[in-house]
Amino acid sequence: DADVTQTPRNRITKTGKRIMLECSQTKGHDRMYWYRQDPGLGLRLIYYSFDVKDINKGEISDGYSVSRQAQAKFSLSLESAIPNQTALYFCATSARTGGDEQYFGPGTRLTVT
Amino acid sequence: LAKTTQPISMDSYEGQEVNITCSHNNIATNDYITWYQQFPSQGPRFIIQGYKTKVTNEVASLFIPADRKSSTLSLPRVSLSDTAVYYCLVGPGGSSNTGKLIFGQGTTLQVKP
């Protein structure tokens, strides 16, 4: 079984809809992250969480919100989806002392029409 | 966080050694150099990390000169399956790590038969 799982893997939604992407991990890591990747570009950090009670904005948090329901679960929400949020979304985890070595999930391909 | 510059693309043939160089002129004293590999439609995967001199693992070697303003990822005897995007990242590491990775565009390595 994969250490970091994301659901759904693919999603098509309409402009204005609320959508939630979920991430679960079995690595026992404290830190979790959400990134987005646009075609031909590197990943950009949306939000990150160093423990259940710690949530931090990344470089592109506008239009997104997150929830850390448990150590193993970190959800990303788009309150009102817009077409320029069409992208590949990745969840990642890392140990408290190993922030440079992050373990990524398989990604969620989101299309907003 | 220090800016990195690496070639957009490289071509190689199976069995050759590939060296990808990354420039990071503004690297800070507590910055580490980390490389990730990403296959299409997958999350990035940690390859190697170093602070100075040379680091080697079962996958790659990382060469860092004394001034640390550049680094070279060396992949020995590449195969077709090494075709991927390779990202060079520079940021606080070790006990100073913040978990905030900055991905640039990366280097697309194409290995030909």
Side-chain angles (χ1 to χ4, degrees):
Chain A
D1 288 339
D3 294 320
V4 183
T5 57
Q6 294 182 232
T7 55
R9 294 294 312 279
N10 290 281
R11 181 72 181 267
I12 300 174
T13 192
K14 294 183 184 296
T15 297
K17 294 291 187 181
R18 183 179 188 275
I19 184 169
M20 178 182 290
L21 309 183
E22 299 186 350
C23 177
S24 295
Q25 53 111 349
T26 59
K27 298 192 72 68
H29 287 165
D30 291 317
R31 298 182 172 191
M32 298 188 73
Y33 313 80
W34 275 105
Y35 294 86
R36 69 173 278 176
Q37 185 172 35
D38 296 282
L41 301 179
L43 282 73
R44 291 183 291 170
L45 184 63
I46 305 172
Y47 271 95
Y48 60 106
S49 169
F50 282 0
D51 64 43
V52 176
K53 296 182 180 179
D54 178 76
I55 304 289
N56 304 281
K57 293 182 177 180
E59 60 179 305
I60 54 163
S61 60
D62 288 348
Y64 302 95
S65 63
V66 292
S67 173
R68 184 82 184 267
Q69 301 95 321
Q71 186 202 38
K73 296 184 183 296
F74 193 35
S75 300
L76 176 72
S77 294
L78 288 66
E79 298 299 327
S80 179
I82 56 177
N84 75 0
Q85 291 177 314
T86 293
L88 190 54
Y89 290 84
F90 290 103
C91 172
T93 75
S94 70
R96 184 176 305 170
T97 57
D100 304 325
E101 184 169 356
Q102 296 188 9
Y103 297 82
F104 285 79
T108 293
R109 186 169 298 281
L110 177 66
T111 302
V112 183
T113 61
Chain B
L1 294 169
K3 177 180 169 59
T4 61
T5 302
Q6 52 184 123
I8 295 296
S9 64
M10 294 182 68
D11 289 339
S12 182
Y13 290 93
E14 282 191 292
Q16 289 187 333
E17 178 184 73
V18 172
N19 296 308
I20 305 174
T21 297
C22 179
S23 297
H24 28 80
N25 291 319
N26 296 321
I27 190 167
T29 302
N30 63 345
D31 283 345
Y32 282 65
I33 300 149
T34 310
W35 286 80
Y36 276 77
Q37 174 192 56
Q38 185 180 24
F39 298 112
S41 298
Q42 293 186 26
R45 183 176 72 103
F46 174 91
I47 300 175
I48 197 166
Q49 182 184 67
Y51 184 80
K52 62 180 178 180
T53 64
K54 176 183 175 182
V55 179
T56 297
N57 62 23
E58 64 278 5
V59 177
S61 294
L62 178 59
F63 298 92
I64 306 168
D67 66 5
R68 304 200 326 123
K69 293 184 182 299
S70 67
S71 58
T72 299
L73 175 72
S74 181
L75 305 172
R77 297 180 297 282
V78 294
S79 65
L80 296 176
S81 63
D82 291 315
T83 294
V85 179
Y86 293 82
Y87 296 98
C88 167
L89 293 82
V90 173
S95 60
S96 302
N97 86 80
T98 64
K100 295 172 70 173
L101 301 180
I102 304 297
F103 287 83
Q105 283 191 297
T107 297
T108 299
L109 172 65
Q110 179 70 51
V111 180
K112 302 175 182 179

